[in-house]
Amino acid sequence: SRPAPPRRRLSTVSITFLDENVSPAESFPLAAKIPTPADLAQATIDPTDPSHVPLNLLELAHQNSIELEGACGGELACSTCHCLLPEDLFEELGEMEEEEEDMLDLAYGRVEGRSRLGCQVKIDGRLDGRTFVIPEDPY
């Protein structure tokens, strides 16, 4: 009999969501698997299915019942998945696309140098140990 192939350890990141709409004590620490090239190649991913690898912050929030709206379903057609990133991470992620910049112009509570759309922030090792703030909703 052949020996079993070695088990591959999955790379994960620890991410915390802090929602300004609730008590600061109610932060949401999560662990997320970093997507592999095979995950990225999948045509359809159900962001509410915890067996699917989340590809961005919006999908991770939805999988964990965190109220980050994403009204357009991550199609870059709204600003309802607006998050605040740590400043150093914002800079590390680099320039955003013009479409995201345009949508962020509509976001309540936008902070220059920290605001991004959760649907555009891909899950990778740079997010490990970071806290993402969901800005207070004025409504």
Side-chain angles (χ1 to χ4, degrees):
S1 101
R2 289 188 155 169
R7 292 187 72 178
R8 186 172 146 251
R9 185 169 179 217
L10 301 176
S11 297
T12 60
V13 291
S14 296
I15 295 172
T16 300
F17 282 97
L18 178 63
D19 188 341
E20 290 186 337
N21 298 292
V22 297
S23 161
E26 296 181 52
S27 61
F28 306 97
L30 307 167
K33 179 178 172 268
I34 295 176
T36 65
D39 297 322
L40 298 172
Q42 286 183 356
T44 58
I45 291 180
D46 179 357
T48 60
D49 182 345
S51 70
H52 290 200
V53 177
L55 302 182
N56 58 52
L57 287 178
L58 177 62
E59 291 176 359
L60 179 64
H62 286 182
Q63 283 182 359
N64 290 277
S65 301
I66 294 171
E67 294 192 30
L68 185 60
E69 187 175 349
C72 71
E75 297 294 322
L76 200 53
C78 73
S79 62
T80 60
C81 64
H82 172 221
C83 297
L84 300 177
L85 281 60
E87 286 181 40
D88 63 324
L89 178 61
F90 181 90
E91 292 172 12
E92 189 176 338
L93 294 178
E95 295 291 319
M96 66 181 93
E97 299 292 324
E98 185 176 339
E99 293 86 357
E100 180 179 4
E101 188 78 53
D102 291 345
M103 286 296 112
L104 280 169
D105 286 341
L106 306 173
Y108 179 81
R110 179 179 182 171
V111 177
E112 195 65 38
R114 291 193 58 206
S115 289
R116 291 291 305 263
L117 297 179
C119 66
Q120 298 302 300
V121 179
K122 307 299 181 211
I123 303 290
D124 66 28
R126 297 176 292 185
L127 278 56
D128 192 36
R130 305 303 185 114
T131 298
F132 299 89
V133 177
I134 300 170
E136 184 177 4
D137 186 345
Y139 306 106

